[in-house]
Amino acid sequence: MNPLMRRVVPAGADRALVRLATGEYLAIDTNTVDSINYLLGRTVEPHISFVFRCFLNPRAVVLDIGANFGLYTAITAAVIRTRGRLFAFEPNPHTFGFLLRTLHANGVINNPNITLVNKAVGRSNGRAELHYIDQNLAVASMTDPRLLGAGIVEEWGMKLHTVEVDTTTIDDYLPAGLAVDLVKIDVEGHEPYVLVGMERTIENSPNMRIILEYIDELLSHTVEAREFTDYIHDLGFRICVIEKDWRLRLVERGAPVPGNCYVLLTRSPEADITTVARRRRYPRSCLKRGLQLAAIGIGELSQRL
């Protein structure tokens, strides 16, 4: 087999390059549990990436906040090329090294329209402590290391680390007046502070859509879930839950949001629900969704046998 066509390419100690089913490359830390799904060829967050792609276009201005290894950075870079703009933020210096390699692997490291930022995004500029697990880089906290489950970490032979990182706000970092089209935020409960620090950008971006991780247990250490959803509505957004069958479901103000999910924040929920539904009916999307659901079902069945 041609080594250039291999799905997993070793890239040094505890490093590998993984070719995604959609063609992009991702640099991963093979010493982490984060890497397992990629190494086994499983699709990661297929319903989230599907909705993300529904609103991604070549001229989009995109923010990837909490980029990790760069899944959404790689997806975006392949679409915008030199016509749109991408800002990817990852505070952990160790993880940032893999994000940098992801850009190298996709041949876009010298693209002036793509900016990698080794900073945490929040409501103020300065310095702060980031707590993370050495073998689970997707789990980190800017507030309380106990959120990371110290007992389980020790039981699994992992270690908690703390590193001081630079912090910034979106309003202060982005060029003045830049309108943003699409944002992904996954910062382990710190999401409310990210929105606080980008209120001016939100106001200047009439077409903005935000895909955001919503975990009420983590939010409870920053802003209570009900207070957060009210704040989202006060910003002018509506909340749509991204269901695992790749549908959007509108949540009316005052109604509870599921405690562990991803949501789409949008000013045009009805139109966006229609857009996603229409894209779901594309033959390629239907086949892909069917195969992924079948794989999930087989995995669950194998665990019961």
Side-chain angles (χ1 to χ4, degrees):
M1 179 184 293
N2 185 339
L4 295 178
M5 300 300 294
R6 293 166 58 190
R7 190 178 56 79
V8 180
V9 180
D14 298 331
R15 297 173 184 163
L17 300 176
V18 176
R19 188 174 188 270
L20 306 177
T22 47
E24 303 90 358
Y25 285 92
L26 204 64
I28 61 172
D29 184 338
T30 57
N31 194 44
T32 66
V33 295
D34 313 53
S35 67
I36 293 175
N37 284 329
Y38 294 112
L39 291 170
L40 294 178
R42 297 170 181 161
T43 304
V44 176
E45 300 178 356
H47 57 307
I48 311 303
S49 60
F50 171 75
V51 172
F52 184 86
R53 289 178 186 274
C54 284
F55 302 104
L56 179 63
N57 66 76
R59 296 187 181 276
V61 176
V62 182
L63 310 180
D64 185 359
I65 303 174
N68 199 254
F69 295 148
L71 173 60
Y72 293 91
T73 293
I75 290 172
T76 301
V79 172
I80 66 165
R81 300 183 182 274
T82 58
R83 300 172 70 186
R85 298 188 70 175
L86 166 64
F87 299 85
F89 298 83
E90 172 52 51
N92 189 329
H94 176 74
T95 311
F96 186 80
F98 287 89
L99 179 62
L100 183 65
R101 288 174 173 82
T102 291
L103 250 63
H104 273 286
N106 288 284
V108 292
I109 192 64
N110 294 318
N111 186 335
N113 287 21
I114 298 175
T115 303
L116 301 187
V117 187
N118 189 199
K119 293 184 178 183
V121 177
R123 58 182 175 176
S124 62
N125 299 310
R127 300 278 289 175
E129 287 187 339
L130 175 72
H131 312 283
Y132 70 96
I133 302 172
D134 62 346
Q135 295 178 45
N136 190 356
L137 297 174
V139 179
S141 174
M142 297 290 293
T143 53
D144 189 341
R146 290 175 296 180
L147 295 176
L148 307 181
I152 296 177
V153 169
E154 294 172 358
E155 180 181 338
W156 288 356
M158 301 180 183
K159 294 182 181 179
L160 287 171
H161 293 269
T162 298
V163 61
E164 191 172 353
V165 299
D166 290 324
T167 64
T168 188
T169 70
I170 293 299
D171 285 344
D172 288 334
Y173 188 86
L174 294 186
L178 180 66
V180 175
D181 300 296
L182 185 59
V183 185
K184 186 227 78 182
I185 309 175
D186 185 348
V187 289
E188 307 300 306
H190 206 62
E191 289 81 5
Y193 295 160
V194 173
L195 294 185
V196 168
M198 60 184 291
E199 288 184 355
R200 187 171 67 246
T201 302
I202 290 172
E203 184 178 356
N204 294 335
S205 305
N207 298 318
M208 179 186 287
R209 294 174 176 87
I210 302 173
I211 292 178
L212 177 147
E213 184 184 44
Y214 185 99
I215 301 179
D216 53 6
E217 182 180 355
L218 298 180
L219 289 170
S220 66
H221 294 265
T222 51
V223 176
E224 291 294 334
R226 178 60 182 272
E227 181 181 349
F228 185 35
T229 56
D230 285 345
Y231 172 65
I232 289 170
H233 282 99
D234 290 342
L235 289 173
F237 289 113
R238 305 289 296 280
I239 301 174
C240 293
V241 174
I242 303 175
E243 304 283 12
K244 291 188 177 180
D245 63 356
W246 302 22
R247 299 177 191 268
L248 293 181
R249 176 173 60 84
L250 179 63
V251 179
E252 297 293 349
R253 184 162 190 164
V257 176
N260 189 340
C261 67
Y262 278 82
V263 297
L264 173 71
L265 311 185
T266 174
R267 296 183 174 99
S268 53
E270 291 80 10
D272 290 358
I273 289 171
T274 299
T275 295
V276 170
R278 184 167 59 246
R279 288 286 295 272
R280 287 179 76 255
R281 292 193 292 269
Y282 286 6
R284 182 177 178 181
S285 296
C286 291
L287 176 60
K288 185 176 180 180
R289 185 169 66 256
L291 292 173
Q292 289 169 346
L293 290 174
I296 293 171
I298 292 171
E300 292 176 348
L301 177 61
S302 66
Q303 291 178 356
R304 296 193 184 103
L305 296 178

